[in-house]
Amino acid sequence: MEKGRLGVEGSKRNGAAAGWRRTGLALALSTATVLSGCQSILEQSYEPSVQPSSNPQIVEEVQKNDPRAALGAREHPRIVASYGGEYKDAKTERLVARIAGALTAVSENPLQSYRITILNSPAINAFALPGGYLYVTRGLLALANDASEVAAVLSHEMGHVTANHGIERQQREEAEMIASRVVSEVLSSDLAGKQALARGKLRLAAFSRQQELQADVIGVRMLGEAGYDPYAAARFLDSMAAYSRFTAVDPESDQSLDFLSSHPNAPQRVELARRHARAFGQEGQVGDRGRDYYLDGIDGLLYGDSPEEGYVRGQTFLHSRLGIRFDVPEGFRIDNKAEAVLATGPNDVAIRFDGVPDTQGQSLAAYIASGWVTGLQPETIRPIRVNGLEAATARASADRWDFDVTVVRLGQRIYRFLTAVPKGSPALQPTAEALRLSFRQMTPAEAASVKPLRVRVLTAGPGDTIATLAGRMMGTDRKLDLFRLINAMTLTSTVKPGDRVKIIAE
């Protein structure tokens, strides 16, 4: 996405301190992703490999007179938009279609058609809308270690559809719409308002505890009857809980779009899933995990930030499509969110970076003074140069915070740094100065050399250990922890020659 279209006007109401945390920014490429339904067509009978049908069952035809499908279709574009669009990869789509096809054949309602969309998001999530709209993020596919784990998630969501939980949930929509209208009135930015509305719709995907347990029962039964390992549901719930603990190390991590935020992971729920699985046999002795074909299907899967959002590499943020980069000081952690790039450091120091279209062409000093910064100290506005680029800086103060505001013009955009420190902190000047000095245009060679991170599947050799394999991980300073997480390994796990494992690399 293109860092831009910020709704900083919200800071007029909330104060500058609230502004840098809440205002809505989105990066959206001018060539926006077309928000259309998933093109995978699931046949009514399952075959081990997906082949074109001579008489395909078209989703639109099946759903034509289904009012539940109309509800799902109405919300589909908003859901897709809130998760960064669709993830388009033929190999991955075939993999998901193969798994879903096996489940559809044993569904409580085998006539129910499903429209499955892979969302282009690193979040770990899956959910359903009425009428058979199923969603799974590429982040969840990266975390899963075999087909049975993804089947466990999809069968759970199919359980919500076949039990008509979405229709029961629809009764809450009127109250949600009222709240959404309030949000759209408070947020001046059209895009910020749309994002808030989309997140509001996601809250409609939250089910009651009883509905979750009912979907668990349906899902485990479908797993077993489809020939998958029925214990995969409990196993993957454990993996998602481990992921939640991993990300919780970062207190600024936003898990609002993740599976466990709407699917409670109580220990008794995991045990209940195991209990239902025992009806099919003993753990480890029943069902197919589908590990090899699953790893083949996700080898090369995009991991973490997408090219449209830019990349975080250690202390550096790079956006090759916009041709910009900057560094944060040592000890800071960068979080590349959809609405902005945020960084947090010691002693409650925080940074927000975004960009907006340069529509007025006014001086940057005049731009800073144009009313979007609450608590601005006008006498501190001064024009500067940042690595040869036109820029301006100023100070602001509000509530318990002091701010440095720095804006830089590059091409047809204005890039903005907002550095916030507790009032009176001496860290403001050195932090803001370090940011300014590090911001620069990338050379064409630099931009071309930046590659996205992907899931890579390796086969362990004779001399390989967990430590040597984890050492090949990229994009994280917690290589060993992340390696164990994505491979569902414990502290006592080992590898032997011939084992296939996932790493994150370019």
Side-chain angles (χ1 to χ4, degrees):
M1 288 195 289
E2 185 178 344
K3 289 288 178 195
R5 298 184 193 153
L6 173 69
V8 177
E9 293 83 354
S11 63
K12 294 179 183 178
R13 299 174 179 84
N14 303 321
W20 76 266
R21 290 183 183 275
R22 296 183 187 172
T23 51
L25 156 94
L27 297 93
L29 279 175
S30 55
T31 55
T33 304
V34 177
L35 303 180
S36 60
C38 181
Q39 298 303 305
S40 299
I41 296 175
L42 304 180
E43 300 186 52
Q44 296 298 327
S45 60
Y46 169 63
E47 298 174 3
S49 60
V50 176
Q51 300 292 338
S53 169
S54 58
N55 184 26
Q57 190 74 280
I58 305 300
V59 172
E60 284 82 357
E61 187 65 27
V62 175
Q63 296 179 338
K64 186 165 57 178
N65 297 314
D66 185 350
R68 296 168 299 180
L71 174 63
R74 188 176 74 237
E75 306 307 333
H76 174 76
R78 297 180 182 180
I79 295 294
V80 171
S82 68
Y83 276 86
E86 292 185 42
Y87 181 71
K88 291 292 190 180
D89 179 83
K91 182 172 69 170
T92 309
E93 289 180 85
R94 284 195 299 271
L95 171 67
V96 174
R98 174 178 180 173
I99 296 169
L103 297 171
T104 301
V106 298
S107 168
E108 292 191 349
N109 180 10
L111 297 180
Q112 170 71 59
S113 61
Y114 292 94
R115 178 189 293 269
I116 302 180
T117 302
I118 303 173
L119 298 167
N120 188 21
S121 169
I124 312 294
N125 212 347
F127 47 91
L129 291 179
Y133 283 76
L134 300 182
Y135 303 86
V136 60
T137 61
R138 60 174 170 82
L140 186 145
L141 298 178
L143 180 63
N145 274 283
D146 55 52
S148 68
E149 292 183 352
V150 174
V153 173
L154 290 180
S155 63
H156 173 95
E157 300 306 332
M158 288 177 172
H160 283 309
V161 173
T162 57
N164 279 327
H165 290 163
I167 299 304
E168 298 170 24
R169 182 182 63 220
Q170 186 184 5
Q171 296 171 356
R172 288 183 265 164
E173 184 160 359
E174 185 175 346
E176 191 66 52
M177 284 297 292
I178 294 173
S180 296
R181 281 198 295 271
V182 173
V183 169
S184 64
E185 290 168 5
V186 170
L187 292 175
S188 302
S189 164
D190 288 342
L191 192 46
K194 288 176 183 175
Q195 287 183 334
L197 287 168
R199 285 175 179 256
K201 294 300 176 186
L202 291 177
R203 287 195 292 276
L204 293 174
F207 296 101
S208 71
R209 174 176 172 78
Q210 186 58 38
Q211 289 173 327
E212 291 293 352
L213 295 176
Q214 185 181 0
D216 282 345
V217 173
I218 296 171
V220 171
R221 182 196 60 75
M222 289 175 65
L223 264 184
E225 292 188 4
Y228 283 116
D229 177 6
Y231 292 88
R235 193 168 66 246
F236 196 52
L237 279 170
D238 285 339
S239 286
M240 287 188 288
Y243 165 82
S244 184
R245 291 191 297 271
F246 177 85
T247 55
V249 172
D250 176 10
E252 294 296 318
S253 177
D254 179 10
Q255 299 174 33
S256 63
L257 295 182
D258 285 335
F259 189 86
L260 294 181
S261 67
S262 58
H263 297 70
N265 188 36
Q268 58 266 34
R269 184 177 171 203
V270 178
E271 179 51 40
L272 187 65
R274 285 199 174 94
R275 191 192 316 159
H276 288 298
R278 291 185 193 114
F280 293 92
Q282 287 188 319
E283 187 168 6
Q285 298 181 18
V286 62
D288 177 32
R289 291 194 175 189
R291 179 169 168 80
D292 281 334
Y293 74 78
Y294 183 78
L295 292 179
D296 291 340
I298 65 166
D299 191 13
L301 180 74
L302 185 65
Y303 183 86
D305 299 330
S306 66
E308 293 81 7
E309 295 173 339
Y311 307 109
V312 175
R313 298 289 188 270
Q315 306 300 114
T316 303
F317 174 77
L318 311 100
H319 201 305
S320 55
R321 296 192 180 182
L322 297 179
I324 58 171
R325 59 170 292 163
F326 65 85
D327 304 316
V328 299
E330 285 297 324
F332 277 70
R333 189 185 203 99
I334 303 177
D335 190 2
N336 185 17
K337 294 183 180 294
E339 66 273 13
V341 178
L342 305 180
T344 53
N347 303 315
D348 293 327
V349 179
I351 297 161
R352 178 188 172 104
F353 170 80
D354 56 57
V356 292
D358 183 10
T359 57
Q360 301 296 319
Q362 60 188 323
S363 74
L364 292 180
Y367 173 72
I368 289 180
S370 62
W372 58 276
V373 180
T374 296
L376 178 68
Q377 299 167 3
E379 69 279 5
T380 65
I381 300 176
R382 61 187 179 94
I384 59 173
R385 304 290 292 183
V386 169
N387 287 318
L389 301 172
E390 179 189 358
T393 184
R395 293 292 177 88
S397 183
D399 299 327
R400 298 175 292 107
W401 301 89
D402 290 334
F403 298 90
D404 179 279
V405 182
T406 297
V407 296
V408 184
R409 176 177 278 135
L410 178 58
Q412 301 302 308
R413 304 197 67 75
I414 296 174
Y415 294 100
R416 310 188 293 194
F417 287 102
L418 190 62
T419 304
V421 303
K423 192 174 286 292
S425 169
L428 183 59
Q429 177 61 28
T431 304
E433 188 69 18
L435 282 171
R436 283 194 288 267
L437 291 175
S438 72
F439 181 85
R440 65 176 176 83
Q441 214 170 348
M442 299 174 70
T443 66
E446 278 182 307
S449 69
V450 178
K451 300 291 192 299
L453 295 177
R454 297 186 181 276
V455 175
R456 301 296 184 188
V457 178
L458 304 179
T459 301
D464 279 325
T465 64
I466 287 180
T468 62
L469 292 167
R472 301 172 67 174
M473 299 270 288
M474 299 176 63
T476 177
D477 56 0
R478 302 164 63 192
K479 294 184 178 184
L480 189 58
D481 290 341
L482 184 57
F483 177 81
R484 285 195 175 111
L485 175 65
I486 63 173
N487 288 288
M489 291 181 174
T490 67
L491 292 175
T492 58
S493 295
T494 59
V495 293
K496 61 182 184 298
D499 285 350
R500 300 181 77 194
V501 297
K502 296 180 290 181
I503 68 166
I504 307 303
E506 290 183 348

